């Protein structure tokens, strides 16, 4: 208790040091470092494919790059005023705009690096909206869109891809071998990647005011970006190559944040976001003659409300103190009642009834804590307004689902119990089973859900069984299929590289000498000399790492979801290599931190964000203003990253017993439970899903001590009708053999990949046979020298010494 008192005194002192206005914000919004209050405010966060367009633009640049905005402007104006003196870009007509853009593109073909860099900077200034001639941020955004569509129309993107390829080859042939790599080592690459990123992000964004011409340009660019038009491979494959070169140490100066951001936006644009995925899923189910989805998952998740997270130790102490006070008051009242009983017994009885009623209210389910384990107790009772108490949800948010396999297992166990024999996969014969079993089977079949993956697996098995009579598979060359074909040869290396960078960017990672340096495009040439500069660089570095985590988590999730829809074995191939590269413990390590601090981190300086910094006069930065940060309740990108990583973990472990056991072995339950402190419904849903799959393996005591979590799982996670997740029966019936499960899956994946993509290694048994005697005998066969030397021995052993039954041979 003394320790708790000291903490309280320190917190009080900190509050007294703050100004009055900030003190209220501090007490209202701040969380305790290690435990957190049980009643944090709900986070007004709406999950989407990406943040607001302006935020996505500003995150491309590090604060260290600030001076380069004026350098880009200078390069543009020098060239522009040479050809068009005393004129402004915003005052020219479209013909003049086009002519100047073409002139700049011609300048990219020059041999001299310095001249080429100046032209590239001038083009970047155009893509940044020629901001010196604009007076407001909306005006900058208008000219950005106009200039970007103009640049695309004159063929700038093709020229930039070729130039980037040239820079990559040059960079790898003369790799930078400096002990300290800074911003200056990646100047050329950064300028090119900046232009390409601005073009992709701007064209991807649809506006109601877009002309039909712009819409046509957008669709053409989208198909070209995802096809092997540029350099005979999709742009995403080229960027993946940059990631592996960076991680292998051949190009340590590559600006990795920009590469990853461009890779993410390219995948998002060419394959589509989560809304497009949902539409594609609906269309694919219709094409396969499957029943429609029971609900729109995106809409259901958006309508969910966050649950109260598990309580902290300090809440438990407060609760115990309140209960002690309540019991003490009850004793005093009882003494008074006993003394008063002789004078007015009827009044005493009424008072007793009121007291009992109050006790019943206090000891309701919400107020009574369940037996607890070390790290969780029920939160203290919260007074609710009467309107909230009567507004119960009409039902569970998700329709229950049942797999065909679940129905087969249920029937098999029922037949074994009541009849004594089984009928394999027959789910129609119910002879000899009691009527309640008939009702159960009817209910299960009513909620049966057949996934696209099950249909794809069944088709693949059919192709493997009948390679000749099955015919050729009709392969739709969509953007997802083209991307998979592009990354298939080196997919394991790409996954390892992405996870290496994710590990280096995770806030829980400690700096090691052998780890990769991801700060090449944020560290200045001259390190800071003042406290203010150090603080600014500290914010910049943290922000840089957060943006990298955001990009990688989004890339992995998008690829997993699109591959799963395109073909389940494409998804399984990528997922298995993520598991082999230790993705599961890496994500758990990421969450093994104070997650509330990460989500409410304020690593941004809004006055330095683009385009604000080029339009407005910059105020003088102080240590106080840097420390205060912005006024947002949470950091959008960090919450987005956390949800993405949880979704990836769900994708990797769903229906995989051995991987679920990895969650148990790595003791993920307390780590995940701490993440429930974040009051955001979508994040809580994916945490609860991960807890649900391992609940039966955590033991009865854990379930008994975590009844609030169990209740939240029941309320928010989809039910499988005959899944005994909450009880843990028949656990001994399922041995955990990680190697066997993964090897069986790997064999299926390899058969799929070799059948579909490896045309050179087709089965020799299925090749056409030459059955003409003359042509076969006429073929010249070169025998090895050792065979020719030992020919006599071979004749003796294989021909003369073996009796030949000529009658049988002739017959």
């Amino acid at each position: 208790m003394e320790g708790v008192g000291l903490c309280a005194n320190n917190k009080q002192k900190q509050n007294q040091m703050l100004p009055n206005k900030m003190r209220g914000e501090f007490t209202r919004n701040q969380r305790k470092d290690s435990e957190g209050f049980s009643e944090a405010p709900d986070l007004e966060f709406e999950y989407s494919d990406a943040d607001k367009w302006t935020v996505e633009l500003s995150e491309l640049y590090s604060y260290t790059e600030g001076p380069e905005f004026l350098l880009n402007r200078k390069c543009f104006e020098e060239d522009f005023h040479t050809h068009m003196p005393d004129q402004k870009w915003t005052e020219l007509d479209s013909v003049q705009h086009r002519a100047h853009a073409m002139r700049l593109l011609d300048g990219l073909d020059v041999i001299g690096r310095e001249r080429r860099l100046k032209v590239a900077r001038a083009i970047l200034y155009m893509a940044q909206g020629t901001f010196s001639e604009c007076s407001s941020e909306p005006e900058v955004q208008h000219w950005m869109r106009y200039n970007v569509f103009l640049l695309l129309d004159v063929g700038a993107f093709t020229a930039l891809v070729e130039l980037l390829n040239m820079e990559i080859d040059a960079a790898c042939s003369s790799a930078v071998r400096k002990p300290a790599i800074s911003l200056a080592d990646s100047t050329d690459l950064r300028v090119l990647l900046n232009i390409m990123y601005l073009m992709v992000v701007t064209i991807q964004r649809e506006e109601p005011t877009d002309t039909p011409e712009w819409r046509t340009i957008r669709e053409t660019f989208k198909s070209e970006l995802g096809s092997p038009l540029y350099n005979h491979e999709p742009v995403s494959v080229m960027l993946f190559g940059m990631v592996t070169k960076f991680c292998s140490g051949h190009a340590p100066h590559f600006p990795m944040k920009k590469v990853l951001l461009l890779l993410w936006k390219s995948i998002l644009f060419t394959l589509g976001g989560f809304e497009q995925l949902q539409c594609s899923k609906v269309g694919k189910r219709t094409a396969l003659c499957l029943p429609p989805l029971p609900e729109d998952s995106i809409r259901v998740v958006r309508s969910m409300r966050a649950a109260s997270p598990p309580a902290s130790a300090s809440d438990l102490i407060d609760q115990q103190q309140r209960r002690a006070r309540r019991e003490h008051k009850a004793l005093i009242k009882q003494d008074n009642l006993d003394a008063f009983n002789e004078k007015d017994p009827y009044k005493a009885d009424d008072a007793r009834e009121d007291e009992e009623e109050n006790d019943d209210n206090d000891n309701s389910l919400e107020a009574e804590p369940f037996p607890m384990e070390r790290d969780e107790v029920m939160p203290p009772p919260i007074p609710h307004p009467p309107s909230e108490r009567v507004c119960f949800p009409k039902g569970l948010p998700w329709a229950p689902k049942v797999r065909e396999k679940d129905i087969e297992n249920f029937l098999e166990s029922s037949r074994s119990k009541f009849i004594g024999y089984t009928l394999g996969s027959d789910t129609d014969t119910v002879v000899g089973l009691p009527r309640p079993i008939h009702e159960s089977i009817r209910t299960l079949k009513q909620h049966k859900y057949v996934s696209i993956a099950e249909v794809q697996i069944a088709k693949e098995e059919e192709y493997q069984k009948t390679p000749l009579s099955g015919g050729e598979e009709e392969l739709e060359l969509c953007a997802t299929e083209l991307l998979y074909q592009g990354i298939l040869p080196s997919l394991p290396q790409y996954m390892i590289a992405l996870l290496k960078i994710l590990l280096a960017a995770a806030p829980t990672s400690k700096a090691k000498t052998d780890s990769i340096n991801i700060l090449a495009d944020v560290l200045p040439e001259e390190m800071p000399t003042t406290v203010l500069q150090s603080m600014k660089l500290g914010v910049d570095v943290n922000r840089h790492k957060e943006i990298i985590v955001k990009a990688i988590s989004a890339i992995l999730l998008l690829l997993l979801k699109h591959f799963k829809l395109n073909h389940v074995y494409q998804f399984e191939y990528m997922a298995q290599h993520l598991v082999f590269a230790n993705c599961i413990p890496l994500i758990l390590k990421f969450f093994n931190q104070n997650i509330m601090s990460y989500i409410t981190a304020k690593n941004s300086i809004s006055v330095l964000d683009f385009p604000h910094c080029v339009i407005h006069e910059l105020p003088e930065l102080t240590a106080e203003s840097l420390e205060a940060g912005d006024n947002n309740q949470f950091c959008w990108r960090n919450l987005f990253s956390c949800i993405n990583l949880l979704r990836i973990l769900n994708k990797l472990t769903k229906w995989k017993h051995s991987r679920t056991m990895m969650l148990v072995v790595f003791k993920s339950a307390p780590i995940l439970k701490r993440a429930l402190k974040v009051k955001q419904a979508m994040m809580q849903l994916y945490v609860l899903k991960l807890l649900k799959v391992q609940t039966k393996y955590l033991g009865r005591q854990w379930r008994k001590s975590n009844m609030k979590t169990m209740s939240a799982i029941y309320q928010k996670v989809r039910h499988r009708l005959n899944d005994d997740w909450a009880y843990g029966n028949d656990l001994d019936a399922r041995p955990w053999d990680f190697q066997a499960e993964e090897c069986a899956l790997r064999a299926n994946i390899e058969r799929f990949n070799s059948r579909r993509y490896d045309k050179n290694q087709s089965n020799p048994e299925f090749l056409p046979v030459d059955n003409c005697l003359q042509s076969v005998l006429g073929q010249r066969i070169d025998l090895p020298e050792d065979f020719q030397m030992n020919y006599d021995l071979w004749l003796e052993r294989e021909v003369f010494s073996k009796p030949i039954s000529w009658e049988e041979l002739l017959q």
Side-chain angles (χ1 to χ4, degrees):
M1 289 297 289
E2 285 176 10
V4 174
L6 282 169
C7 289
N9 289 339
N10 288 340
K11 185 67 80 176
Q12 197 172 354
K13 283 175 186 174
Q14 285 175 9
N15 272 350
Q16 285 169 359
M17 287 164 69
L18 293 166
N20 287 335
K21 189 177 177 184
M22 282 180 68
R23 201 178 303 162
E25 289 292 320
F26 188 88
T27 52
R28 201 162 49 244
N29 292 331
Q30 286 292 98
R31 276 79 173 167
K32 293 182 182 177
D33 287 340
S34 60
E35 295 157 351
F37 295 115
S38 62
E39 279 308 306
D42 282 17
L43 302 182
E44 297 296 325
F45 171 86
E46 187 171 326
Y47 186 83
S48 182
D49 295 324
D51 206 343
K52 292 191 284 289
W53 185 51
T54 49
V55 177
E56 296 293 341
L57 293 178
S58 67
E59 287 183 351
L60 174 64
Y61 311 101
S62 60
Y63 297 141
T64 322
E65 289 178 89
E68 293 189 14
F69 290 121
L70 295 178
L71 185 57
N72 300 338
R73 172 186 166 183
K74 183 184 170 189
C75 291
F76 174 84
E77 288 178 348
E78 280 178 5
D79 185 79
F80 182 69
H81 292 313
T82 306
H83 298 96
M84 297 179 184
D86 304 324
Q87 285 188 294
K88 287 187 172 182
W89 174 263
T90 51
E91 294 170 354
L92 301 181
D93 59 28
S94 58
V95 176
Q96 291 171 307
H97 283 152
R98 190 178 180 87
H100 188 69
M102 296 283 279
R103 195 180 300 119
L104 284 175
L105 273 187
D106 291 338
L108 285 177
D109 288 338
V110 297
I111 296 171
R113 178 184 171 275
E114 290 297 324
R115 170 66 187 148
R116 199 168 60 234
L117 181 59
K118 277 190 175 182
V119 174
R121 283 196 181 281
I123 293 172
L124 176 56
Y125 177 71
M126 277 180 66
Q128 288 169 344
T130 51
F131 49 79
S132 67
E133 299 174 24
C134 302
S135 56
S136 66
E137 290 185 31
E139 196 179 349
V140 174
Q141 291 166 20
H142 164 77
W143 281 103
M144 270 187 75
R145 286 181 68 75
Y146 175 83
N147 292 345
V148 161
F149 273 99
L150 172 67
L151 287 168
L152 184 66
D153 197 29
V154 297
F157 199 83
T158 310
L160 290 167
V161 171
E162 289 173 3
L163 208 53
L164 183 62
N165 260 313
M166 193 177 77
E167 291 289 349
I168 293 167
D169 294 338
C172 292
S173 60
S174 59
V176 179
R177 299 290 177 210
K178 288 167 61 180
I181 295 168
S182 70
L183 209 61
D185 298 309
S186 59
T187 306
D188 298 36
L189 286 166
R190 279 189 296 108
V191 171
L192 296 175
L193 290 165
N194 282 346
I195 304 168
M196 291 169 74
Y197 178 86
L198 291 174
M199 289 181 77
V200 171
V201 171
T202 307
I203 292 162
Q204 180 190 6
R205 184 168 176 249
E206 295 182 30
E207 291 272 347
T209 55
D210 287 350
T211 62
E213 185 189 356
W214 279 14
R215 292 178 190 193
T216 309
I217 290 172
R218 178 184 293 114
E219 289 306 312
T220 308
F221 180 56
K222 182 178 176 179
S223 60
E224 287 176 354
L225 197 63
S227 65
L229 190 68
Y230 302 106
N231 199 35
H232 309 296
E233 62 184 7
V235 171
S236 304
V237 178
M238 181 183 72
L239 295 170
F240 267 122
M242 289 184 76
V243 175
T244 50
K245 285 184 177 76
F246 171 78
C247 286
S248 64
H250 293 129
H253 62 292
F254 277 2
M256 208 26 60
K257 184 188 85 173
K258 295 181 192 297
V259 172
L260 291 167
L261 282 174
L262 179 56
L263 176 57
W264 168 37
K265 294 298 181 182
S266 301
I267 292 170
L268 182 61
F269 186 29
T270 53
L271 307 191
F274 300 114
E275 297 277 358
Q276 291 98 314
L277 260 168
Q278 190 72 7
C279 296
S280 303
K281 193 174 182 180
V282 170
K284 200 149 193 172
R285 288 187 69 82
T286 308
L288 294 170
C289 303
L290 293 173
L293 293 165
E295 69 277 296
D296 183 344
S297 57
I298 296 173
R299 200 169 294 169
V300 172
V301 171
R302 279 180 183 163
S303 64
M304 276 187 175
R305 290 183 62 189
S308 296
S312 63
S314 58
D315 293 328
L316 171 64
I317 293 163
D318 294 342
Q319 189 182 36
Q320 287 172 341
Q321 287 172 347
R322 278 201 300 274
R323 180 177 291 174
R325 283 198 296 270
R326 197 166 62 233
E327 287 171 357
H328 182 63
K329 284 179 186 173
L331 285 171
I332 294 170
K333 282 184 183 176
Q334 187 62 44
D335 292 341
N336 292 342
L337 283 169
D338 290 342
F340 188 62
N341 194 17
E342 296 171 8
K343 297 178 183 178
D344 195 343
Y346 296 105
K347 210 166 185 179
D349 288 343
D350 291 341
R352 275 200 196 96
E353 283 174 14
D354 291 341
E355 185 66 28
E356 283 168 11
E357 195 172 321
N358 288 337
D359 282 347
D360 286 345
N361 288 339
D362 285 341
N363 293 325
S364 63
L365 182 64
E366 191 168 352
E368 183 64 25
F370 292 95
M372 61 173 183
E373 205 174 277
R374 287 174 310 183
D375 52 354
E376 178 176 10
V377 291
M378 293 290 286
I382 304 134
H384 291 288
S387 59
E388 274 192 37
R389 293 206 166 196
V390 293
C391 293
F392 294 108
K394 291 180 182 177
L396 296 170
W398 306 100
K401 285 181 181 177
V402 181
R403 295 181 300 170
E404 181 74 26
K405 189 179 175 184
D406 298 330
I407 300 174
E408 287 174 13
N409 291 341
F410 176 74
L411 267 168
E412 191 174 338
S413 62
S414 301
R415 285 171 185 147
S416 300
K417 184 177 179 181
F418 293 105
I419 306 173
Y421 63 87
T422 59
L423 297 174
S425 59
D426 180 3
T427 57
D428 298 321
T429 307
V430 290
V431 177
L433 296 174
R435 189 164 294 280
I437 299 293
H438 292 205
E439 293 291 330
S440 300
I441 294 163
R442 195 177 301 120
T443 307
L444 289 173
K445 285 187 174 180
Q446 189 181 336
H447 293 95
K448 188 172 88 167
Y449 175 79
V450 181
S451 67
I452 295 170
E454 288 174 90
V455 176
Q456 289 170 340
I457 289 170
K459 281 187 177 179
E460 183 59 29
E461 285 174 357
E462 196 63 33
Y463 280 123
Q464 297 290 352
K465 280 181 190 173
T466 57
L468 295 175
S469 59
E472 282 290 320
E473 183 183 8
E474 291 181 16
L475 206 59
E476 184 192 352
L477 290 176
C478 58
T480 311
E481 183 63 39
L482 291 168
L483 178 60
Y484 183 75
Q485 290 180 15
I487 67 173
L488 177 62
S490 306
L491 188 138
Q493 290 90 322
Y494 296 153
M495 295 305 108
I496 291 167
L498 286 176
L499 292 183
K500 268 187 177 179
I501 299 170
L502 181 62
L503 176 64
T508 50
S509 296
K510 294 179 175 63
K512 293 179 183 175
T513 51
D514 58 339
S515 65
I516 49 179
N517 176 23
I518 55 169
L519 305 177
D521 52 336
V522 70
L523 294 176
E525 281 187 275
E526 296 178 4
M527 294 309 284
T529 52
T530 65
V531 175
L532 186 64
Q533 287 176 342
S534 299
M535 286 180 72
K536 182 184 162 189
L537 183 60
V539 170
D540 206 2
V541 166
N542 289 337
R543 173 177 176 266
H544 181 82
K545 288 182 175 181
E546 289 172 2
I547 294 166
I548 286 176
V549 173
K550 170 188 171 182
I552 293 177
S553 66
I555 289 166
L556 292 176
L557 181 61
L558 274 173
L559 287 178
L560 285 170
K561 287 189 77 68
H562 278 285
F563 285 159
K564 188 168 187 181
L565 186 61
N566 196 48
H567 199 289
V568 65
Y569 280 135
Q570 295 177 349
F571 158 79
E572 294 290 6
Y573 185 54
M574 178 179 166
Q576 192 167 60
H577 280 292
L578 284 173
V579 173
F580 290 163
N582 283 334
C583 184
I584 292 175
L586 171 55
I587 294 176
L588 292 176
K589 181 181 179 180
F590 180 89
F591 279 96
N592 194 19
Q593 59 169 313
N594 184 349
I595 210 70
M596 276 307 302
S597 294
Y598 184 70
I599 281 167
T600 54
K602 295 185 176 180
N603 291 313
S604 58
I605 308 167
S606 54
V607 293
L608 297 181
D609 285 340
F610 178 86
H612 185 279
C613 63
V614 293
I615 295 296
H616 304 282
E617 285 291 324
L618 290 183
E620 187 181 350
L621 290 175
T622 61
E624 288 74 22
S625 64
L626 288 181
E627 203 167 338
D630 52 28
N631 296 321
N632 294 332
Q633 185 192 19
F634 58 90
C635 176
W636 196 96
R637 65 172 166 264
N638 289 356
L639 189 45
F640 176 75
S641 303
C642 288
I643 291 173
N644 286 345
L645 291 170
L646 288 168
R647 294 182 76 180
I648 292 164
L649 204 50
N650 268 288
K651 290 252 169 243
L652 297 181
T653 54
K654 190 176 181 181
W655 303 121
K656 302 286 189 299
H657 176 61
S658 57
R659 296 178 193 174
T660 303
M661 292 307 295
M662 285 175 75
L663 291 177
V664 180
V665 168
F666 289 127
K667 295 183 172 57
S668 64
I671 295 170
L672 293 168
K673 228 172 54 179
R674 281 200 295 275
L676 287 174
K677 287 187 171 69
V678 180
K679 286 198 73 177
Q680 204 284 322
M682 190 172 186
M683 181 162 168
Q684 286 185 345
L685 171 68
Y686 289 107
V687 171
L688 293 170
K689 278 186 172 187
L690 289 164
L691 285 169
K692 180 187 174 182
V693 294
Q694 54 177 317
T695 299
K696 62 173 80 173
Y697 308 109
L698 296 174
R700 182 181 293 181
Q701 183 58 42
W702 188 92
R703 296 194 291 273
K704 196 175 171 186
S705 307
N706 292 277
M707 287 306 293
K708 180 157 180 147
T709 306
M710 300 287 284
S711 172
I713 291 171
Y714 180 84
Q715 287 175 348
K716 294 185 180 298
V717 183
R718 189 191 300 278
H719 289 275
R720 301 276 169 175
L721 288 183
N722 48 356
D723 178 18
D724 60 344
W725 64 273
Y727 305 104
N729 298 327
D730 303 326
L731 290 186
D732 297 331
R734 295 205 63 189
W736 178 36
D737 190 348
F738 176 83
Q739 204 167 5
E741 284 186 37
E742 294 295 341
C743 284
L745 178 61
R746 190 172 189 173
N748 289 336
I749 294 165
E750 283 177 354
R751 278 196 293 270
F752 164 77
N753 281 335
S754 62
R755 179 192 69 78
R756 211 182 207 197
Y757 305 111
D758 199 357
K759 299 300 178 187
N760 300 327
Q761 298 294 325
S762 53
N763 195 326
E765 292 181 14
F766 302 142
L767 292 173
V769 178
D770 185 0
N771 52 13
C772 175
L773 186 64
Q774 282 186 327
S775 67
V776 171
L777 291 174
Q779 286 177 5
R780 177 171 178 79
I781 297 169
D782 293 324
L783 298 170
E785 284 185 21
D786 57 341
F787 180 81
Q788 292 177 19
M789 288 170 64
N790 300 305
Y791 181 62
D792 296 338
L793 288 172
W794 180 83
L795 275 175
E796 184 64 40
R797 191 180 66 225
E798 297 293 332
V799 182
F800 300 141
S801 63
K802 291 194 176 179
I804 298 170
S805 176
W806 293 102
E807 289 81 5
E808 286 182 23
L809 187 63
L810 290 170
Q811 284 173 3

